[in-house]
Amino acid sequence: MINIILVNPDIPNNTGNIIRTCAVSGAKLHVIEPCGFSWDDKYLKRSGLDYWEFAVCTRYSSMEDFLTKVFKENAVITENTADSIRLTKEKSKAQFVFASSKAKHNHVEITYQEDTYIFFGCETKGLDEEILFKNYSDCARIPMQKDRRCLNLANSVCVFIYEALRQRNFEGLEQEGFLTKY
């Protein structure tokens, strides 16, 4: 399963769109609090439309809470969040990918495993640079024009999800549509 981890998202519309993308793609969404919005926000609800019931979305009070609940006995919690992530990744042998415009590798150069955890930072700051530094070989970027900061968060999540799905020939997804009027 593709696991999307949003670390402190700021914009409700993006998170709502990501919930919808996860619902239609089968990806699981993990949201690390605090968020820059209320979960009762009308824009969050509107962006997710009627896909909320199909999305698997779990919220966590902190990165340590996420690591402990998801990786259980393989979680390694230290005083430093970046170290906790790196050590949990190593102990669990899970594939962690860190999406960042600061990465050297392209997102299509990764061979996505069946259980992949793709981390995204908030819209205004991205992932903490210490996390990126301690996991730099696992960072990936979406190619874009020079001197552009980054792609929208919801669009970036979609690009990563669908590249991982493409590599598995969209297994489990309906791949053919039908006209309804003709």
Side-chain angles (χ1 to χ4, degrees):
M1 170 177 287
I2 300 166
N3 291 274
I4 299 300
I5 297 86
L6 299 183
V7 181
N8 313 125
D10 281 336
I11 301 174
N13 304 58
N14 282 333
T15 301
N17 285 327
I18 292 165
I19 287 167
R20 184 174 179 176
T21 299
C22 288
V24 301
S25 67
K28 184 173 182 181
L29 180 61
H30 306 268
V31 179
I32 311 299
E33 300 275 358
C35 297
F37 54 85
S38 162
W39 282 85
D40 295 324
D41 187 286
K42 68 180 179 178
Y43 298 108
L44 175 71
K45 300 292 184 195
R46 185 178 304 144
S47 297
L49 294 174
D50 56 347
Y51 289 85
W52 285 88
E53 66 184 279
F54 303 111
V56 178
C57 177
T58 307
R59 294 166 42 203
Y60 304 89
S61 62
S62 65
M63 182 62 73
E64 291 73 18
D65 184 38
F66 163 73
L67 295 172
T68 301
K69 287 179 178 169
V70 172
F71 295 97
K72 299 176 179 31
E73 68 275 353
N74 288 317
V76 180
I77 305 304
T78 69
E79 291 182 16
N80 181 288
T81 299
D83 286 334
S84 297
I85 293 168
R86 181 181 53 79
L87 293 168
T88 299
K89 175 185 70 170
E90 291 170 1
K91 185 175 180 185
S92 69
K93 297 184 177 21
Q95 182 182 37
F96 284 17
V97 176
F98 302 89
S100 175
S101 61
K102 299 171 185 172
K104 291 188 182 277
H105 299 288
N106 186 313
H107 74 291
V108 299
E109 295 172 20
I110 296 169
T111 300
Y112 295 90
Q113 297 173 3
E114 189 164 327
D115 282 324
T116 298
Y117 295 83
I118 309 172
F119 292 75
F120 293 85
C122 73
E123 294 88 341
T124 55
K125 297 176 238 162
L127 289 167
D128 183 272
E129 262 197 32
E130 187 176 6
I131 293 170
L132 299 176
F133 176 75
K134 292 190 176 190
N135 298 281
Y136 205 57
S137 64
D138 295 314
C139 294
R141 64 176 282 128
I142 299 167
M144 59 190 142
Q145 293 289 318
K146 187 176 180 166
D147 300 324
R148 305 301 194 274
R149 278 194 323 269
C150 60
L151 193 60
N152 169 277
L153 178 61
N155 293 334
S156 297
V157 168
C158 190
V159 167
F160 272 85
I161 287 174
Y162 276 88
E163 173 56 23
L165 291 169
R166 183 196 66 79
Q167 289 182 14
R168 292 197 294 272
N169 296 315
F170 304 104
E171 182 181 323
L173 298 183
E174 185 174 334
Q175 296 186 44
E176 186 176 353
F178 303 95
L179 298 172
T180 56
K181 188 175 177 181
Y182 298 96

